[in-house]
Amino acid sequence: MAKIILNADLYDNVLTAEPGDFTAKPVITGTYRDEDVADDIVRERTEYRKETIVNILQLADQKRVEAIANGKSLVDGVGQYLLNLSGVFDGEAPKFDPEKNKIGVTFTPSKALLDALKEVTFNLNKATTGPVINQVTDVRTQSVNGQITPGKNLIITGANLLVKGDNPANGIYFTKDEPSAEPVKVEYYTRSTTSEQIVEVPESLTDGQYRLSVTTQVGSGYKVLKEPRTYEFPILLTVGDSEEEETPGTG
């Protein structure tokens, strides 16, 4: 496998007082779906029709989801998926309480994936002054980087998140992960600082997956920039029930 060179942005490390300490975030290069897998296979093996490949992949996805939900250990070419439980269980004969206990999925990468990662290297660059989202927490369900609840509060943590400036594009937005979807702007804020935004998820959001983004003219040190900068959280957030597995590594 050929070497893969990716980019990563460097941000000030807020957990240490040492000057010149940074944390790095890989620049996500896009979203890869079943349709994209099918396109790549068709390009390499033209005897297969894209529609057939997509159908098989979607059927396989459905069966994988059912297997995990039924308590099976799922092993595929990407890794191993296992159910896990979090929260406190009182006594020796407790009952599962969805208000206190959460079901998650543990992901362990396969040897093939680990071998591929050995071929990855990064160009590290100081991030342009602008917003960055580190984590999203649904106040009602305590879901982290996963489920969000319309009409309820969402805690967004990161850096340079204060929405400020006179550009009309400034704001926090939810955009449904569908072609030509219009962004829905957040209207209500409970807390607004440079490192944390507590916002009300718009009630108009229907079931599906959404991209969260923030656009602001605020840079480091509360400096107002001439032009707004936008950061899009790379993890899709879900409204309503979803057939998607929980994000690997969050369980």
Side-chain angles (χ1 to χ4, degrees), residues 64-107:
R64 290 188 182 100
V65 169
E66 291 174 359
I68 295 171
N70 278 283
K72 289 183 169 57
S73 166
L74 175 68
V75 179
D76 61 16
V78 179
Q80 181 181 21
Y81 303 78
L82 292 168
L83 286 181
N84 64 50
L85 288 174
S86 61
V88 176
F89 296 89
D90 298 322
E92 295 183 359
K95 292 184 178 180
F96 176 82
D97 184 351
E99 295 297 321
K100 297 179 181 179
N101 310 124
K102 302 300 178 185
I103 305 172
V105 176
T106 300
F107 171 74

Side-chain angles (χ1 to χ4, degrees), residues 4 106 113 131 140 151 171:
I4 301 171
T106 300
L113 179 54
R140 180 177 178 274

Side-chain angles (χ1 to χ4, degrees), residues 2 40 42 82 96 101 104 122 125 159 167 174 181 218-219 225 238 241-242:
D40 285 347
V42 168
L82 292 168
F96 176 82
N101 310 124
F122 283 92
N125 307 291
N167 193 296
F174 293 89
V218 167
L225 308 173
T238 302
D241 294 330
S242 171

Side-chain angles (χ1 to χ4, degrees), residues 78-205:
V78 179
Q80 181 181 21
Y81 303 78
L82 292 168
L83 286 181
N84 64 50
L85 288 174
S86 61
V88 176
F89 296 89
D90 298 322
E92 295 183 359
K95 292 184 178 180
F96 176 82
D97 184 351
E99 295 297 321
K100 297 179 181 179
N101 310 124
K102 302 300 178 185
I103 305 172
V105 176
T106 300
F107 171 74
T108 303
S110 67
K111 182 179 183 301
L113 179 54
L114 291 174
D115 288 344
L117 295 181
K118 292 176 183 177
E119 303 303 320
V120 177
T121 187
F122 283 92
N123 290 324
L124 300 169
N125 307 291
K126 185 71 183 293
T128 56
T129 304
V132 60
I133 299 171
N134 292 329
Q135 183 172 289
V136 176
T137 304
D138 186 278
V139 173
R140 180 177 178 274
T141 65
Q142 292 302 300
S143 173
V144 176
N145 301 340
Q147 210 86 5
I148 59 176
T149 309
K152 302 300 181 181
N153 281 348
L154 190 72
I155 302 173
I156 305 168
T157 57
N160 301 328
L161 293 177
L162 190 64
V163 178
K164 193 173 181 180
D166 56 9
N167 193 296
N170 294 333
I172 295 175
Y173 297 87
F174 293 89
T175 306
K176 200 164 190 177
D177 190 42
E178 294 178 349
S180 304
E182 289 293 326
V184 179
K185 192 172 185 178
V186 166
E187 296 184 14
Y188 303 109
Y189 294 76
T190 301
R191 176 179 170 83
S192 182
T193 71
T194 189
S195 61
E196 181 181 79
Q197 297 286 325
I198 302 180
V199 305
E200 182 181 300
V201 178
E203 291 189 1
S204 62
L205 300 189

